[in-house]
Amino acid sequence: MVNLKKYNCVLKLFVIFLTLFFVFSCGNQNFHVSKIEWKRIPITEKGNQVPNTNLQSEQAKKIKNYIKPYREHITKDLDSVLVYCPVTLDKSTGKWQTTIGNLMADVTLKQGNLVFQAREKKNIDLCLLNHGGIRSILPKGNVTSRTAYEIMPFENSLVVVGLKGEQIFELVNYFIVAKKPHPLSGITFTIGKDQVAKNILIQGKPVEKETIYYVATNDYLANGGDSMNFFKKGVQRYDLNYKLRNVLIDFFKEVDTIPLINDVRVSVE
């Protein structure tokens, strides 16, 4: 005769064993990516001519139609006329300074000051940008947002660095040694026959060694880019989160004609 009590006990132990087995086996299971597949679907006017399969062609059409209103909106926004430029401004038309460089430095100082004053209750004293950062001309005629993107295609943001007068001297010496028309605003000086700077003035006043001057620049230079290591010696730094491209666009929206700025900032004996 079968001992049911003993049978039930064994059955319970077996069920418990199976349960624990499945719990631990699932808990320790790891998954790894073993294969990645992708395919390129061009979204262009020729997107519906993608070879291989009709499925790819249909996918391209669907994606193209989906993004069409966004593309049209962006195109309309970029091509809207903001201001008029009476002459072409080019970065290659000067040894120590250029008209487009003067414009960009002045605009950066002016627009940046609005933000800096509101946030920090302080004034920007001068601006230094890099000649290589200007990637296009400002052509004669109607100026659009697209023009600003062509001039400043990078995502550089406006930074204000507090430099002591000692670093201002380094800044000027760097400018002379580099022999490039880096955009300057708020500062003037004369290059002597001995290639040493004279009459360095910031906002019309002589530089004082221990005074802190607030210099507007871009984040790339503020981090020591283009070997402008004097910026890394700054005693203060303020990231304004203001794209230099947007600085230009905001200025374009405020005026009806681009000014021609050709005052002498760097003179030579």
Side-chain angles (χ1 to χ4, degrees):
M1 196 173 172
V2 179
N3 189 333
L4 293 178
K5 184 176 181 180
K6 185 177 180 180
Y7 176 79
N8 288 336
C9 183
V10 173
L11 182 61
K12 288 180 181 179
L13 289 175
F14 180 70
V15 171
I16 292 172
F17 172 77
L18 286 178
T19 302
L20 291 174
F21 174 78
F22 283 118
V23 168
F24 286 110
S25 63
C26 291
N28 295 329
Q29 191 171 7
N30 295 318
F31 296 93
H32 302 279
V33 176
S34 60
K35 186 178 181 181
I36 298 176
E37 294 182 344
W38 66 278
K39 59 183 177 181
R40 182 179 180 183
I41 303 176
I43 310 302
T44 65
E45 293 300 322
K46 298 181 180 180
N48 56 358
Q49 300 176 14
V50 179
N52 299 333
T53 66
N54 291 330
L55 178 60
Q56 286 184 323
S57 178
E58 289 302 315
Q59 287 177 328
K61 287 181 180 179
K62 288 180 180 179
I63 297 175
K64 181 180 176 182
N65 290 334
Y66 179 80
I67 68 174
K68 182 179 179 180
Y70 301 99
R71 175 185 289 170
E72 291 176 347
H73 176 76
I74 292 174
T75 299
K76 180 180 179 181
D77 185 55
L78 288 177
D79 292 337
S80 297
V81 177
L82 302 179
V83 67
Y84 178 77
C85 187
V87 295
T88 296
L89 304 185
D90 192 331
K91 74 173 187 178
S92 63
T93 55
K95 180 177 180 180
W96 294 108
Q97 60 187 77
T98 66
T99 50
I100 191 171
N102 288 350
L103 174 72
M104 289 191 62
D106 281 5
V107 169
T108 301
L109 194 154
K110 174 181 176 295
Q111 298 295 124
N113 221 10
L114 297 176
V115 179
F116 195 56
Q117 288 174 343
R119 292 186 185 179
E120 306 297 334
K121 311 303 179 186
K122 299 174 183 178
N123 291 314
I124 296 174
D125 297 296
L126 66 145
C127 175
L128 170 64
L129 302 174
N130 56 325
H131 178 258
I134 304 172
R135 309 302 287 190
S136 179
I137 64 172
L138 183 54
K140 178 181 178 179
N142 292 331
V143 176
T144 66
S145 294
R146 189 182 298 276
T147 308
Y149 275 83
E150 291 170 349
I151 295 173
M152 299 294 299
F154 309 113
E155 297 300 309
N156 293 119
S157 295
L158 180 57
V159 174
V160 177
V161 181
L163 296 181
K164 285 190 174 182
E166 187 174 355
Q167 277 69 60
I168 297 299
F169 297 138
E170 291 183 38
L171 182 157
V172 173
N173 289 335
Y174 170 91
F175 188 96
I176 295 173
V177 172
K179 298 185 185 308
K180 291 183 179 180
H182 295 301
L184 285 173
S185 180
I187 183 172
T188 59
F189 57 89
T190 299
I191 302 174
K193 294 180 181 179
D194 55 0
Q195 295 299 296
V196 176
K198 301 178 180 180
N199 304 320
I200 305 174
L201 303 177
I202 294 179
Q203 297 297 329
K205 299 178 181 180
V207 177
E208 297 179 354
K209 189 174 181 179
E210 294 302 318
T211 298
I212 295 176
Y213 297 93
Y214 294 103
V215 185
T217 188
N218 62 53
D219 52 348
Y220 169 69
L221 300 180
N223 292 327
D226 279 4
S227 298
M228 294 192 188
N229 295 317
F230 48 84
F231 276 124
K232 294 194 291 185
K233 300 178 183 179
V235 295
Q236 298 169 352
R237 173 171 170 149
Y238 305 87
D239 293 272
L240 302 189
N241 297 315
Y242 194 3
K243 301 290 185 186
L244 288 188
R245 181 192 310 119
N246 292 336
V247 168
L248 276 181
I249 292 174
D250 288 346
F251 175 75
F252 291 163
K253 292 178 178 178
E254 291 180 0
V255 298
D256 55 14
T257 304
I258 297 292
L260 177 61
I261 307 171
N262 53 16
D263 59 301
V264 178
R265 304 178 183 193
V266 181
S267 57
V268 181
E269 282 188 342

